[in-house]
Amino acid sequence: MARGIRRRDLLQAAAVTALLAGCTPSPQPKPTTTASAASAPNQSFTFGTPASPIGLDPALTADIESWRVTRQVLEGLLTTDPETGAPAPALATQWTQSSDLLSYTFTLRQGVRFHDGTPFTAAAVKANFDRWFNFSPALRATRGVLPFTATFQAHSDAPQLSLYKGCTVLSDYKVRLDLTSPLTGLLQALTAPAFAISSPTALKAGSADVEDQPSSGTKISRYAQHPVGTGPFRFKEWTSDRVLLEASPDYWGTRGQIAQLALVVYDQAQNRLEALVEGTIDGYDAVTLDNIETLVRKGLQIVRRDPFSVMYLGMNQTVPILQNDNVRLAIASAINKSALITPFFLEDTKPAAQFLPPKLNGFNQAGGFPSFDPEKSKRLIAQSGYGGEPLKFYYPLDITHLYLPSPEKVYAELSAQLTLVGLNIQPVPIAWTDGYLEKVTTSGDHAFHLLGRYGTYADPDDFLAPLFGSKNGEFGFFDAQLFTKLGRARGLPDGNDRTQAYQNINSQLASTAPAIPIAFPISAVALSNRVDTYPTSPVLNETFNHVVLTS
């Protein structure tokens, strides 16, 4: 399977079939080596993005645009193999798992330095894991569910609840991670940007756990304004409308052709399209349906990704009427998903009847969420005692998400459908840069909101645990049985029992509807003919040192 997508592959999906099938790696993979480019990078490249990043500390900020930047600058112990989708060597060259399944020992790549000159060693790995484990409750409260929390369940203030036990330095280039219980998806989880290794020197200098700098309606640390890793690009500058990166002269892997990389914000789809047509940029992400005709007519490239995300309607059970299971199920019955998808999403986007993408283990072929039945919805709402009180519906402005290409239009259609079954919808539009993500993922007065989840690794836990694995401010529900089922499923070995466990969890979600899945969106990148190969990835593991230019 090709590493990237070439011009002759226009309009074809970038397939990573084994990843989406949930393949399982050997516990002792062979190390890989990547030859450096024959000549130093000497090209400039400009890429249009739909939004500015929120913060550049991937352990604390998990939005797509923040991770797009940090993937270029920071690396983890493992990465995703572009051909198989399995965990592959990055800063770790090989690893072994203990017979009791509770320890992983990693051999680290030697001779690597962070961009600030700090040596990469086992001590640096330990410093990062110690930091994540010790995130304070106050720091965690300012975000939704953090990736470390979703993966390991708890932090140092509740060690008896955490799957993480500790990180031990065995030598300068060997480190061991210890667990309290088996965690089947650990290796896959370590490929996510949230587990990228930062320079301990830079973390300290940037007071990484002190969030006192404003950014997009929230607060971030000084380190999150200037990340320092070992990746193919060094951070140079971040302004309101662009991030500038430069090729790292000492990068251990493929350096590629791009010496200067600019990620420039165009928050309107039409503006991104015009910039590409005019030659101002070399490509952009988040192609929308109304871009397609112009792109094709101009002979520009459209490269689709395989679907690996879910867009959903969130519901907050701290709003009293939404504590009623029948009301939430009635809302699910009120939604005509095809009427939402056909006008606003790219072709081949499918309606979602669960939160797992179709090719992940645990997917329920039958779905389970109620089908479109507005008359049934009206009856259930009328029987619920709902008195017509206004229900605040939060939706984002000035953003095109890969899982939500036209949020204002989707909101308008969805709110009309909910109004038809008797709900009093109160619109609450919020600019993405005014802290929309924080407002809808923490405690608040939102009854409904639009959001989605983009998968970062091929395990069902990556979708279900962050959303439904613990009580959170986004949905405001507590279901001890569901939390226990998710905790058990993540520790089961790959096989029929684990698949059945996740199918049962999907069925329980469908019967209680804490949120409503709407679509499995297709996303696409538009490129100029200057680009020969672009490394599309279902999990967005797209680094620009693998872009191949024709000139």
Side-chain angles (χ1 to χ4, degrees):
M1 187 176 295
R3 185 177 185 88
I5 297 294
R6 294 184 178 275
R7 286 184 292 166
R8 64 175 179 268
D9 300 320
L10 305 187
L11 298 174
Q12 292 181 351
V16 185
T17 304
L19 182 149
L20 292 177
C23 61
T24 304
S26 164
Q28 290 184 280
K30 297 178 181 179
T32 61
T33 58
T34 307
S36 296
S39 58
N42 59 9
Q43 300 289 313
S44 294
F45 193 85
T46 303
F47 192 79
T49 66
S52 180
I54 294 173
L56 302 180
D57 180 351
L60 289 173
T61 305
D63 75 286
I64 289 172
E65 295 310 321
S66 297
W67 278 6
R68 190 195 303 275
V69 177
T70 60
R71 283 186 188 275
Q72 318 304 320
V73 177
L74 303 168
E75 299 174 298
L77 296 177
L78 306 177
T79 188
T80 302
D81 186 286
E83 297 191 13
T84 68
L91 291 177
T93 58
Q94 54 186 327
W95 54 92
T96 59
Q97 184 181 19
S98 63
S99 59
D100 63 4
L101 309 182
L102 296 180
S103 296
Y104 290 80
T105 299
F106 296 88
T107 300
L108 305 181
R109 194 174 297 278
Q110 299 187 28
V112 176
R113 288 184 176 270
F114 293 97
H115 299 151
D116 62 0
T118 301
F120 168 72
T121 63
V125 175
K126 177 176 171 56
N128 278 262
F129 274 90
D130 286 350
R131 178 196 174 219
W132 303 328
F133 186 50
N134 287 286
F135 278 154
S136 69
L139 189 67
R140 299 184 330 246
T142 62
R143 298 284 190 270
V145 178
L146 294 179
F148 186 96
T149 318
T151 302
F152 294 106
Q153 295 188 315
H155 295 257
S156 60
D157 55 316
Q160 73 280 6
L161 302 178
S162 182
L163 298 181
Y164 177 80
K165 185 175 182 180
C167 179
T168 302
V169 173
L170 303 178
S171 68
D172 283 350
Y173 296 103
K174 189 163 288 189
V175 66
R176 188 183 71 235
L177 296 183
D178 295 312
L179 306 174
T180 61
S181 296
L183 180 55
T184 301
L186 176 65
L187 295 178
Q188 287 90 338
L190 293 181
T191 68
F195 293 104
I197 305 299
S198 294
S199 162
T201 304
L203 289 171
K204 183 177 180 180
S207 301
D209 295 345
V210 178
E211 296 189 306
D212 56 2
Q213 305 296 310
S215 177
S216 297
T218 187
K219 296 283 189 179
I220 63 174
S221 70
R222 287 188 293 112
Y223 175 76
Q225 296 176 323
H226 193 303
V228 179
T230 61
F233 293 91
R234 300 188 301 196
F235 178 84
K236 188 174 181 181
E237 183 182 21
W238 176 16
T239 60
S240 61
D241 65 346
R242 71 183 57 215
V243 174
L244 298 179
L245 307 174
E246 59 186 7
S248 173
D250 302 316
Y251 183 54
W252 59 267
T254 298
R255 295 182 64 200
Q257 295 172 268
I258 297 172
Q260 301 289 331
L261 173 62
L263 301 172
V264 182
V265 178
Y266 295 86
D267 59 16
Q268 299 298 318
Q270 184 63 26
N271 293 343
R272 294 193 295 278
L273 174 63
E274 291 172 357
L276 182 63
V277 169
E278 294 167 359
T280 305
I281 60 177
D282 299 294
Y284 70 84
D285 206 352
V287 172
T288 58
L289 195 60
D290 51 8
N291 290 170
I292 299 293
E293 182 179 352
T294 300
L295 289 168
V296 172
R297 190 173 67 249
K298 297 290 185 180
L300 296 164
Q301 304 180 64
I302 307 167
V303 183
R304 303 197 312 176
R305 301 182 183 94
D306 282 345
F308 204 57
S309 65
V310 60
M311 175 257 164
Y312 60 82
L313 172 68
M315 296 183 286
N316 182 6
Q317 291 185 36
T318 62
V319 175
I321 191 63
L322 295 178
Q323 295 170 9
N324 186 323
D325 288 2
N326 284 334
V327 169
R328 298 194 307 277
L329 291 170
I331 291 167
S333 296
I335 299 174
N336 183 344
K337 295 176 183 179
S338 295
L340 284 166
I341 291 170
T342 301
F344 308 128
F345 289 79
L346 294 184
E347 186 178 359
D348 294 331
T349 293
K350 304 298 184 185
Q354 58 193 287
F355 283 87
L356 291 183
K359 293 184 180 180
L360 264 182
N361 290 335
F363 178 82
N364 280 10
Q365 195 64 44
F369 273 81
S371 56
F372 178 52
D373 188 343
E375 295 307 314
K376 177 182 177 181
S377 178
K378 290 176 184 177
R379 288 196 305 272
L380 289 173
I381 290 172
Q383 294 166 7
S384 71
Y386 172 65
E389 57 268 27
L391 299 170
K392 293 185 178 181
F393 193 147
Y394 283 43
Y395 62 97
L397 302 176
D398 302 326
I399 183 70
T400 305
H401 257 303
L402 304 191
Y403 54 69
L404 185 57
S406 302
E408 295 97 333
K409 295 176 182 178
V410 170
Y411 162 77
E413 172 61 30
L414 190 50
S415 65
Q417 294 181 12
L418 297 181
T419 299
L420 283 175
V421 298
L423 298 181
N424 180 5
I425 300 299
Q426 180 179 342
V428 183
I430 299 175
W432 183 261
T433 54
D434 285 341
Y436 177 82
L437 185 61
E438 181 176 340
K439 287 180 171 66
V440 300
T441 57
T442 55
S443 298
D445 63 354
H446 48 93
F448 302 113
H449 63 276
L450 294 179
L451 208 59
R453 178 158 186 85
Y454 215 105
T456 53
Y457 58 92
D459 191 273
D461 202 49
D462 181 44
F463 281 86
L464 299 183
L467 295 174
F468 308 114
S470 61
K471 185 175 182 179
N472 60 60
E474 182 175 3
F475 306 127
F477 80 108
F478 185 87
D479 188 334
Q481 183 188 55
L482 178 63
F483 301 161
T484 299
K485 285 182 176 180
L486 280 165
R488 176 179 176 273
R490 67 185 0 162
L492 292 174
D494 281 324
N496 290 336
D497 287 349
R498 194 167 194 256
T499 297
Q500 185 63 54
Y502 280 112
Q503 288 178 341
N504 290 340
I505 289 166
N506 277 332
S507 295
Q508 183 167 338
L509 289 170
S511 69
T512 59
I516 301 169
I518 303 293
F520 295 124
I522 295 287
S523 67
V525 176
L527 300 164
S528 76
N529 289 322
R530 184 186 176 208
V531 180
D532 183 70
T533 304
Y534 181 90
T536 51
S537 162
V539 295
L540 305 182
N541 186 19
E542 300 170 359
T543 55
F544 285 80
N545 58 316
H546 293 298
V547 170
V548 177
L549 304 176
T550 59
S551 60

